[in-house]
């Protein structure tokens, strides 16, 4: 355009082509921006370093950040030096990444004194629009809730159990040899199976859309967790958290909008962790599978420490991830790289100094790694949260390992399956770590044969193992047949402290058995040896490890008892088709069940006392499951328990009287029922005879006695000698 053609006034100049060419595109979508507050306040010299640290954390925990997408406002301080204001803006590539940042990074600890608070930028605007005028919320009327541990107040101190048969789930009181007392039933209460929480407060039922927890005297629904297709659950030891797993990944497109707690972050995940008290979803996790590993489910996937404070899982062969509850963040902000790691177990001991024998101030876990190249297999003990290695033990020619903690956490037993150098035969070692002693010494026990089962005595220093040298061990069952029943041996070990260096020694060995499972009483001392799921043997053996025979040699000096003489068999019973064994929480009763899930015929259960005497036998069609209701730990102090034991005879008299009264009442009820039945029968007979006479009379066929008027009554006296006493009179 020449100068001659320019308009006289500036307002008449047309700039539309320039505007179109250099137009700036404004992005009205603010869903990709978050505000992070609580960051450290730094000067210009440390600005770039802080931004790099924050960028690395948010990229890992949420997603990609746009180039130049981080802005941290700086302003002069009182000394005129520029410094940050403690917050910054972060713009991500996608709204999903921004949402994940709010979900995962809110509450992120940058240091002991700096915890980030992360919110969406759009939420900040929403909060600014909140009315400044206070509106008092409506106070709902207080509705008292039922006590979740009310069953512990039963005057007779009975235990409850849940039974699942057909489509019905029922709760019962155990009444020794009498028929169980019904408490509550519901048809189609669950779709697959039921499960108690560890302390017995909740009964979990499974449904297509998730899990429901029930409890209280009325068995009302306490809380519900949405997880479509849920198959497995696991409670934390103190019932604070619940872990659920489904083989179906979370798919938001298939779920009704607003009827679930899931977000884009949860899409595709299989494992969910919930807060039981609030019912809120804390975090979801994807299922992990090692490369080349078969798609098998190892449950529980997450294992909890005794205090519920930490939980962890293994990525097989790669790392151990330890998380902190309830924040759900990684301890130390990263997983622990451990090449080849296979499995781990937490110590059941609490890190609260309640046990003076345990010197460690932190929670302890143990894990094992196999042989990799020239590196031997290894068992390692680690304290959490410091991640300090407190003990290791190298192992050679290892096929597999299993970790078994003693209930108090004083010992860790590692069952090591080993092979010879030619790998043609196998044997086992038991590596026992004495955690309560200084430097944690390790004792090795050589076992010549393969070990099928291992179990510590609860609260004790003894354990039992099942071994076999049967050639049929490991043989595959024939087509459509069951595995062969093999000969086994059971050995009990005890801690021998008679020598300068204490060690575990065999207490007694029992040969020529077929038992394949060990079930210790929860109170120790008694144990059940059972042959389960065998086509030919259904033996249940009851043993006492502290049996005290009656002393018949009055006045004679007692000879020193032979080692193992206190281990006595109390009885041997048989329950055809037995598939499950479970002790009640008090250690007084044992239930054996034959479930339709594993057995085709003779479904039902038996209740035995600890001596093996059968108290009840119920044959139940379509019997599936029977579970004793767990009890929480006793609140009595050691001194109170000692006082009760001291006065046990006094308490026993009261219990004996109650049992006698109950027996008399039962007998009276039986007699009354029989008398009532006889009276009803005689009443019916008189009515029938009267009706028959009327019918005969109407038909003209009335009966007449042949000796009418000539009969006589004959009375016969029978004398019976009840008691006879002879007395000599001088």
């Amino acid at each position: 355009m020449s100068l001659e053609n320019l308009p006289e006034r500036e307002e008449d100049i047309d700039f539309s082509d320039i505007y179109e060419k250099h137009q700036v595109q404004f992005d009205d979508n603010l869903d990709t921006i978050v505000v992070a507050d609580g960051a450290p306040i730094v000067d210009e010299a440390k600005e770039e370093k802080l931004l790099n640290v924050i960028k690395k954390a948010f990229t890992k925990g949420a997603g990609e950040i746009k180039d130049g997408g981080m802005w941290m406002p700086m302003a002069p301080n009182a000394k005129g030096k520029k410094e940050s204001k403690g917050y910054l803006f972060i713009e991500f590539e996608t709204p999903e990444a921004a949402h994940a940042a709010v979900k995962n990074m809110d509450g992120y600890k940058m240091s002991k004194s700096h915890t980030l608070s992360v919110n969406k930028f759009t939420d900040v605007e929403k909060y600014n629009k909140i009315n400044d005028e206070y509106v008092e919320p409506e106070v709902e009327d207080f509705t008292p809730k039922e006590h979740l541990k009310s069953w512990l107040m039963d005057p007779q101190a009975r235990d409850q159990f849940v039974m699942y048969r057909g489509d019905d789930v029922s709760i019962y009181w155990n009444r020794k040899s009498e028929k169980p007392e019904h408490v509550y039933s519901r048809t189609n209460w669950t779709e697959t199976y039921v499960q108690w929480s560890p302390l017995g407060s909740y009964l979990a039922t499974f449904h297509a859309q998730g899990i429901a927890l029930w409890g209280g005297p009325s068995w009302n629904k306490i809380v519900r967790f949405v997880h479509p297709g849920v198959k497995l659950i696991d409670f934390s030891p103190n019932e604070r958290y619940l872990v659920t797993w489904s083989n179906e990944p979370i798919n938001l497109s298939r779920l009704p909008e607003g009827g679930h707690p899931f977000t884009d972050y949860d899409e595709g995940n299989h494992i969910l962790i919930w807060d039981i008290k609030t019912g809120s979803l804390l975090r979801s996790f994807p299922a992990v599978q090692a490369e080349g590993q078969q798609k098998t489910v190892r449950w529980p996937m997450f294992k909890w420490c005794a205090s519920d404070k930490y939980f962890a899982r293994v990525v097989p062969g790669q790392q151990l991830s330890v998380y902190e509850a309830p924040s759900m963040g990684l301890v130390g902000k990263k997983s622990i790289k451990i090449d080849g790691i296979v499995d781990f177990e937490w110590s059941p001991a609490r890190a609260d100094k309640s046990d003076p024998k345990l010197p460690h101030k932190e929670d302890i876990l143990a894990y094992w790694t196999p042989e990799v190249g020239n590196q031997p297999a290894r068992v390692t003990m680690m304290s959490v949260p410091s991640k300090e290695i407190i003990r290791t033990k190298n192992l050679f020619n290892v096929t597999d390992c299993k970790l078994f903690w003693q209930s108090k956490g004083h010992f860790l037993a590692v069952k090591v399956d080993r092979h010879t150098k030619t790998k043609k035969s196998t044997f086992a070692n038991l590596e026992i770590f004495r955690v309560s002693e200084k430097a944690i010494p390790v004792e090795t026990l050589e076992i010549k044969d393969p070990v099928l089962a291992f179990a510590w005595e609860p609260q004790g220093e003894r354990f039992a193992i099942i071994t076999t040298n049967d050639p049929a061990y490991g043989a595959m069952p024939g087509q459509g047949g069951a595995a062969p029943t093999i000969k086994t041996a059971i050995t009990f070990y005890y801690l021998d402290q008679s020598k300068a260096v204490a060690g575990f020694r065999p207490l007694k060995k029992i040969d020529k058995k077929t038992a394949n499972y060990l079930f210790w009483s929860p109170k120790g001392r008694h144990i059940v040896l059972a042959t389960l799921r065998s086509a030919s043997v259904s033996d249940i053996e009851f043993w006492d490890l502290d049996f005290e025979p009656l002393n018949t040699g009055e006045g004679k000096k007692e000879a020193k008892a032979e080692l193992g003489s206190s281990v006595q068999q109390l009885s041997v019973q048989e329950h055809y088709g037995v598939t499950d064994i479970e002790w009640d929480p008090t250690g007084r009763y044992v239930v054996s069940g034959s479930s339709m899930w594993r057995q085709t015929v003779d479904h039902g259960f038996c209740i035995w006392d600890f001596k093996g005497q059968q108290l009840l036998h119920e044959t139940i069609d379509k019997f599936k499951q029977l579970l004793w209701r767990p009890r929480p730990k006793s609140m009595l102090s050691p001194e109170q328990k000692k006082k009760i034991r001291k006065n046990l005879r006094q308490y026993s008299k009261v219990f004996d009287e109650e049992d006698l009264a109950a027996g008399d009442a039962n007998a009276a009820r039986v007699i009354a029922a029989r008398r009532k039945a006889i009276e009803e029968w005689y009443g019916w007979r008189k009515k029938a005879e009267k009706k028959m006479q009327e019918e005969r009379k109407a038909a003209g066929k009335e009966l007449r006695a042949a000796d009418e008027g000539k009969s006589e009554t004959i009375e016969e006296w029978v004398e019976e000698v009840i008691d006879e006493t002879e007395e000599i009179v001088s």
Side-chain angles (χ1 to χ4, degrees), residues 350-370:
R350 285 174 170 266
D352 55 5
K353 299 181 182 179
S354 58
D355 190 341
K357 289 187 177 181
L358 294 174
H360 309 287
K361 299 178 182 179
E362 296 184 325
D363 289 291
I364 298 174
L365 61 80
Y367 63 86
W368 80 277
T369 54

Side-chain angles (χ1 to χ4, degrees), residues 692-705 708:
M692 185 177 66
Q693 289 175 0
E694 291 175 353
E695 290 177 352
R696 284 183 176 277
K697 189 175 181 180
K701 296 181 180 180
E702 187 175 1
L703 293 177
R704 292 184 180 181
E708 187 173 355

Side-chain angles (χ1 to χ4, degrees), residues 143-356:
T143 305
K145 293 184 178 180
E146 294 183 332
H147 203 298
L148 296 179
K149 290 183 170 55
S150 58
W151 92 96
L152 297 173
M153 299 298 292
D154 178 57
Q156 301 176 47
R158 296 174 297 178
D159 280 287
Q160 287 186 344
F161 62 81
V162 59
M163 183 172 66
Y164 184 20
R165 54 172 295 183
D167 295 327
D168 299 331
V169 177
S170 304
I171 312 294
Y172 293 93
W173 287 110
N174 176 38
R175 296 200 300 170
K176 300 180 182 178
S177 57
E178 296 180 55
K179 199 172 183 67
E181 181 182 326
H182 179 260
V183 177
Y184 186 83
S185 288
R186 184 176 291 194
T187 303
N188 296 320
W189 201 355
T190 187
E191 296 181 19
T192 51
Y193 62 98
V194 294
Q195 184 172 328
W196 290 110
S197 60
L199 305 180
S201 303
Y202 308 101
L203 178 68
T205 57
F206 291 70
H207 309 274
Q209 293 304 314
I211 296 293
L213 301 186
W214 311 76
S218 302
W219 292 100
N220 295 320
K221 186 189 294 182
I222 307 298
V223 64
R224 174 175 167 266
F225 304 103
V226 179
H227 193 177
V230 61
K231 297 293 188 297
L232 298 169
I233 65 172
D234 181 50
F235 289 88
S236 64
N238 300 305
E239 301 182 341
R240 177 66 194 276
Y241 306 103
L242 177 69
V243 184
T244 61
W245 173 84
S246 172
N247 60 325
E248 304 171 12
I250 299 296
N251 190 337
L252 297 179
S253 62
R254 295 183 180 179
L255 297 173
E257 192 171 345
H260 59 82
F262 308 123
T263 62
D264 295 333
Y265 171 78
D266 304 308
E267 180 82 25
N269 289 345
H270 294 260
I271 310 156
L272 308 178
I273 299 185
W274 308 83
D275 186 316
I276 293 178
K277 290 183 178 179
T278 63
S280 58
L281 175 63
L282 298 177
R283 186 171 176 182
S284 66
F285 293 87
V288 293
Q289 202 78 31
E291 293 182 9
Q293 193 180 44
Q294 293 182 348
K295 289 188 176 181
T296 56
V297 178
R298 298 177 61 179
W299 194 254
M301 291 183 181
F302 287 93
K303 298 177 183 179
W304 296 84
C305 73
S307 64
D308 284 7
K309 189 175 181 181
Y310 304 105
F311 62 101
R313 75 164 170 181
V314 160
V315 178
Q318 300 177 26
Q319 64 187 30
L320 176 67
S321 301
V322 184
Y323 299 86
E324 189 172 4
S327 66
M328 300 289 118
L330 282 167
V331 173
K333 305 173 189 176
K334 61 182 180 181
S335 297
I336 307 164
K337 301 291 183 182
I338 306 172
D339 291 337
I341 184 170
V342 178
D343 199 10
F344 77 100
E345 293 291 342
W346 287 98
S347 166
R350 285 174 170 266
D352 55 5
K353 299 181 182 179
S354 58
D355 190 341

